[in-house]
C-alpha cells in the first residue's frame, strides 16, 4: 500500500474552508516562520478518505476482530457512550471554565457528572471517596503510592518498603519505586499469595502490599482475611490494582474486604475504548482514614449546587491538570447508568463464564498449570510445543493469520511459555468456538508442520517483525521540511 506522500499529485486539493483574515503566520516573529511551505501531500478529499479507510481495515481492533488480550480487558465498547461524550453541552466546555469567577452555574451539569461518578465508584467498590484526576492506570498507581506515603508520614511511621507479589501487574513495582519505596517480592504458592510467605517478608518498615485480585493468573486470592490481619499488625496498607475488576463487578466490594487504596481503569472496566495510547482514566479510591489526603480539587455538593473545593491542608496536592480526562469519566458514567446494578453483575458473570468455557475447550491441547475454576482470564503454557521448536510467540503470531488478535504471551513470568487469554463478557459463543477451533488447528499443525507455524504471519501486509527494532528504530521516509 502506497503512503499518502507517494499518492500525492502536485496541485491536487480537496475542499478548502475559507481562510481566516488573521492567520498564525502574521502573528509570529519572522525568525520563527518556515522559509517555504511544508511538503504535505496534495490529494483530493476522495483520495484521503479512501486512503485512510483502506489503512484502518488493516488494523486489528475490538470493532473488527476478537481481541483476547489477557490481563488487559479489551472489550467491546458501546457506541452510545461516544454520543454522550460528543454532546455539545459537554464537548464544548472550556477546561478552565469551572475555575473562572461567576461561571459556576454554567458547569453544574459537568460537576454533577463528576460528583455522581465518584459516588457510583464508591458504591461499586466500597471505598469512602475517590479522586477522578489520574489520567491512566499507572498514573493511578503512582497516585495511590503517594497517598500511602502521605498516610505514613502523617502517622509518623518510618516505612521504606512496598511488597509486590510475583503475580502482580508489571507496573506495580515501578509505581512503588517512583514513590521512593524499595520493592520487595513475595512468591506465589499454587498461584496465589501464601500468608506464610507474606509473613516472612513483612516487617515494621513495610508501607503496603500491592495486590491484583483476581491476579494475573486469573485466580481469586483466597487468603484476603489473613493477609489484611497481617498487614494491620504492622500498620501497613493494602493496595488494590483494579485492572482485573471486570471479574468481580457487583460480586465483591474490595473496600468491604479491607483494601485501603484502589485504582480503577475506567478504560478497561467501564466501557471506554482502550488501547492505541489512550486516553485513559485511573480514578483512585481510599478508605475513610485516607480521605483528607486525596488530591485537589474535589467536587462537593452543597445546598446551592456543586462546587470545586481546594481547602484540604493534608492533601497530596495536584497530580494532574484540571480534573483528569473528563470525557473518559463521562463515558464511564453513562455506561454505569445504562447497565445498572444488574447489568454490571452480568458483566462479571459472562466474563468469567467465557473464560472458563475457553479453558475447558483448550485444556486437552494446551497445558494449563492452574487448571481449576478461573475468573475472567486463564493462563496456559506452550512448554510442550516449545520442545518441538514452536514457542508461545509463534502460536500468537499464527493466530493473527486466522483473524484473531494475539493473546498476551510470556506474562506473568512465573509460567513458562505463557499464553494468557481473556475473552471478556462481550464475545459470543460462536466467536469463542471459532477462536478455539483455530487455536487447535494451529497446535495440530505445530506437530505435523512446525515450520508453517514458526513462519507466521504470512497473510498480513507485513510478516514477522523485529518488534524491538520496529518500536525503537523507526525510519521516517518523508522529509516534510525539505519539500516545497
Amino acid at each position: 500500500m502506497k503512503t499518502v506522500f507517494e499518492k500525492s499529485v502536485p496541485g491536487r486539493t480537496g475542499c478548502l474552508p475559507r481562510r481566516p483574515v488573521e492567520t498564525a503566520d502574521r502573528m509570529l516573529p519572522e525568525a520563527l516562520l518556515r522559509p517555504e511551505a511544508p511538503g504535505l501531500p496534495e490529494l483530493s478529499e476522495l483520495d484521503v478518505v479512501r486512503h485512510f479507510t483502506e489503512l484502518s481495515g488493516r488494523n486489528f481492533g475490538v470493532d473488527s476482530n476478537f481481541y483476547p488480550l489477557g490481563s488487559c480487558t479489551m472489550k467491546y465498547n458501546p457506541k452510545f457512550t461516544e454520543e454522550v461524550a460528543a454532546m455539545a453541552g459537554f464537548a464544548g466546555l472550556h477546561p478552565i471554565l469551572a475555575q473562572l469567577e461567576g461561571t459556576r452555574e454554567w458547569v453544574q451539569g459537568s460537576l454533577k457528572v463528576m460528583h455522581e461518578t465518584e459516588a457510583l465508584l464508591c458504591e461499586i467498590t466500597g471505598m469512602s471517596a475517590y479522586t477522578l484526576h489520574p489520567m491512566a492506570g499507572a498514573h493511578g498507581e503512582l497516585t495511590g503510592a503517594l497517598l500511602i506515603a502521605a498516610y505514613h508520614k502523617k502517622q509518623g511511621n518510618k516505612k521504606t518498603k512496598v511488597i509486590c507479589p510475583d503475580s502482580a501487574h508489571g507496573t506495580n513495582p515501578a509505581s512503588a519505586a517512583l514513590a521512593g519505596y524499595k520493592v520487595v517480592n513475595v512468591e506465589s504458592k499454587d498461584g496465589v499469595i501464601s500468608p506464610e510467605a507474606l509473613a516472612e517478608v513483612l516487617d515494621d518498615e513495610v508501607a503496603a502490599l500491592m495486590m491484583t485480585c483476581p491476579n494475573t493468573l486469573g485466580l481469586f486470592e483466597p487468603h484476603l482475611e489473613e493477609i489484611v490481619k497481617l498487614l494491620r499488625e504492622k500498620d501497613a496498607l493494602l493496595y488494590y490494582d483494579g485492572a482485573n475488576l471486570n471479574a468481580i463487578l457487583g460480586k465483591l466490594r474490595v473496600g468491604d474486604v479491607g483494601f485501603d487504596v484502589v485504582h480503577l481503569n475506567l478504560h478497561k472496566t467501564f466501557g471506554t475504548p482502550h488501547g492505541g495510547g489512550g486516553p485513559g482514566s485511573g480514578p483512585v479510591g481510599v478508605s475513610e482514614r485516607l480521605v483528607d489526603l486525596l488530591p485537589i480539587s474535589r467536587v462537593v455538593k452543597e445546598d446551592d449546587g456543586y462546587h470545586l473545593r481546594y481547602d484540604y491542608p493534608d492533601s497530596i496536592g495536584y497530580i494532574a491538570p484540571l480534573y483528569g480526562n473528563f470525557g473518559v469519566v463521562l463515558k464511564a458514567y453513562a455506561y454505569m447508568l445504562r447497565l445498572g446494578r444488574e447489568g454490571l453483575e452480568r458483566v462479571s458473570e459472562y466474563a468469567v463464564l467465557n473464560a472458563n468455557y475457553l479453558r475447558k475447550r483448550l485444556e486437552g491441547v494446551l497445558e494449563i498449570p492452574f487448571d481449576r475454576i478461573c475468573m475472567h482470564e486463564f493462563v496456559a503454557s506452550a512448554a510442550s510445543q516449545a520442545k518441538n521448536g514452536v514457542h508461545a510467540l509463534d502460536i500468537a503470531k499464527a493466530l493473527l493469520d486466522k483473524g484473531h488478535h494475539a493473546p498476551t504471551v510470556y506474562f506473568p513470568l512465573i509460567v513458562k511459555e505463557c499464553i494468557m487469554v481473556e475473552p471478556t463478557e462481550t464475545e459470543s459463543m460462536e466467536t469463542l468456538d471459532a477462536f478455539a477451533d483455530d487455536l487447535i488447528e494451529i497446535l495440530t499443525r505445530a506437530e505435523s508442520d512446525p515450520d508453517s507455524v514458526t513462519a507466521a504471519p504470512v497473510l498480513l501486509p507485513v510478516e514477522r517483525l523485529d518488534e524491538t527494532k520496529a518500536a525503537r528504530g523507526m525510519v521516517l521516509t518523508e522529509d516534510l521540511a525539505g519539500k516545497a
Side-chain angles (χ1 to χ4, degrees), residues 237-410:
L237 302 179
L238 185 56
Y239 180 96
Y240 182 82
D241 181 317
N244 290 345
L245 190 74
N246 210 47
I248 60 171
L249 272 178
K251 302 297 182 184
L252 174 74
R253 300 198 331 155
V254 294
D256 295 344
V257 179
F259 283 90
D260 300 288
V261 183
V262 51
H263 94 261
L264 306 179
N265 293 303
L266 298 188
H267 50 284
K268 288 184 179 180
T269 309
F270 295 104
T272 295
H274 172 47
S281 181
V284 173
V286 294
S287 59
E288 187 61 36
R289 53 183 172 161
L290 285 86
V291 171
D292 291 342
L293 305 172
L294 284 173
I296 52 175
S297 61
R298 296 184 58 196
V299 181
V300 298
K301 183 182 181 183
E302 298 178 351
D303 291 342
D304 61 344
Y306 297 92
H307 297 259
L308 286 173
R309 295 292 185 221
Y310 298 84
D311 185 20
Y312 296 95
D314 291 333
S315 167
I316 63 171
Y318 297 91
I319 52 92
L322 304 172
Y323 327 105
N325 279 328
F326 175 74
V328 179
V329 172
L330 178 59
K331 284 184 272 190
Y333 175 70
Y335 179 84
M336 289 186 281
L337 290 185
R338 178 64 184 87
L339 266 67
R341 181 186 298 271
E342 181 183 349
L344 292 175
E345 280 193 45
R346 207 178 304 153
V347 164
S348 291
E349 291 167 358
Y350 287 179
V352 172
L353 179 64
N354 281 0
N356 281 284
Y357 180 76
L358 272 185
R359 178 180 61 84
K360 293 298 292 183
R361 277 222 54 190
L362 296 171
E363 65 183 358
V365 292
L366 271 175
E367 179 186 351
I368 299 180
F370 305 99
D371 195 7
R372 55 182 187 259
I373 295 294
C374 64
M375 300 297 286
H376 63 303
E377 63 189 3
F378 69 96
V379 171
S381 169
S384 297
Q385 287 76 15
K387 294 176 183 174
N388 297 324
V390 177
H391 295 269
L393 180 65
D394 302 315
I395 295 169
K397 295 297 183 186
L399 281 167
L400 295 175
D401 276 340
K402 297 286 189 179
H404 310 291
H405 192 277
T408 296
V409 293
Y410 303 118

Side-chain angles (χ1 to χ4, degrees), residues 139-314:
H139 191 198
E141 288 181 31
L142 177 60
T143 303
L146 294 175
L147 287 166
I148 290 168
Y151 167 80
H152 287 301
K153 182 179 180 181
K154 187 178 178 181
Q155 297 298 110
N157 295 336
K158 181 187 177 185
K159 301 285 189 180
T160 61
K161 307 173 187 173
V162 165
I163 299 175
C164 295
D166 57 6
S167 59
H169 279 111
T171 46
N172 289 178
S175 297
L178 278 174
Y181 288 110
K182 177 184 177 183
V183 177
V184 178
N185 179 59
V186 59
E187 293 186 3
S188 302
K189 182 179 180 182
D190 197 24
V192 297
I193 297 175
S194 157
E196 293 76 20
L198 175 62
E200 289 183 7
V201 296
L202 187 59
D203 59 30
D204 290 334
E205 293 198 10
V206 170
L209 166 65
M210 298 184 80
M211 282 184 70
T212 306
C213 183
N215 63 27
T216 53
L217 294 168
L219 303 177
F220 189 81
E221 295 284 352
H223 304 299
L224 285 174
E225 185 175 354
E226 297 158 86
I227 290 169
V228 170
K229 183 180 178 183
L230 287 170
L231 293 172
R232 292 286 183 266
E233 291 173 355
K234 303 292 184 184
D235 198 15
L237 302 179
L238 185 56
Y239 180 96
Y240 182 82
D241 181 317
N244 290 345
L245 190 74
N246 210 47
I248 60 171
L249 272 178
K251 302 297 182 184
L252 174 74
R253 300 198 331 155
V254 294
D256 295 344
V257 179
F259 283 90
D260 300 288
V261 183
V262 51
H263 94 261
L264 306 179
N265 293 303
L266 298 188
H267 50 284
K268 288 184 179 180
T269 309
F270 295 104
T272 295
H274 172 47
S281 181
V284 173
V286 294
S287 59
E288 187 61 36
R289 53 183 172 161
L290 285 86
V291 171
D292 291 342
L293 305 172
L294 284 173
I296 52 175
S297 61
R298 296 184 58 196
V299 181
V300 298
K301 183 182 181 183
E302 298 178 351
D303 291 342
D304 61 344
Y306 297 92
H307 297 259
L308 286 173
R309 295 292 185 221
Y310 298 84
D311 185 20
Y312 296 95
D314 291 333

Side-chain angles (χ1 to χ4, degrees), residues 55-111:
L55 197 62
S56 69
R58 298 185 177 216
N59 284 331
F60 276 84
V62 290
D63 285 346
S64 54
N65 302 84
F66 181 40
Y67 218 119
L69 197 63
S71 207
C72 216
T73 309
M74 300 289 285
K75 65 185 186 181
Y76 176 76
N77 300 281
K79 297 299 176 276
F80 84 93
T81 59
E82 300 295 329
E83 294 188 21
V84 171
M87 293 171 69
F90 292 122
L93 284 177
H94 193 283
I96 67 168
L97 194 59
Q99 299 175 4
L100 300 180
E101 187 176 352
T103 60
R104 188 178 62 82
E105 290 75 15
W106 300 0
V107 294
Q108 284 295 292
S110 296
L111 294 178

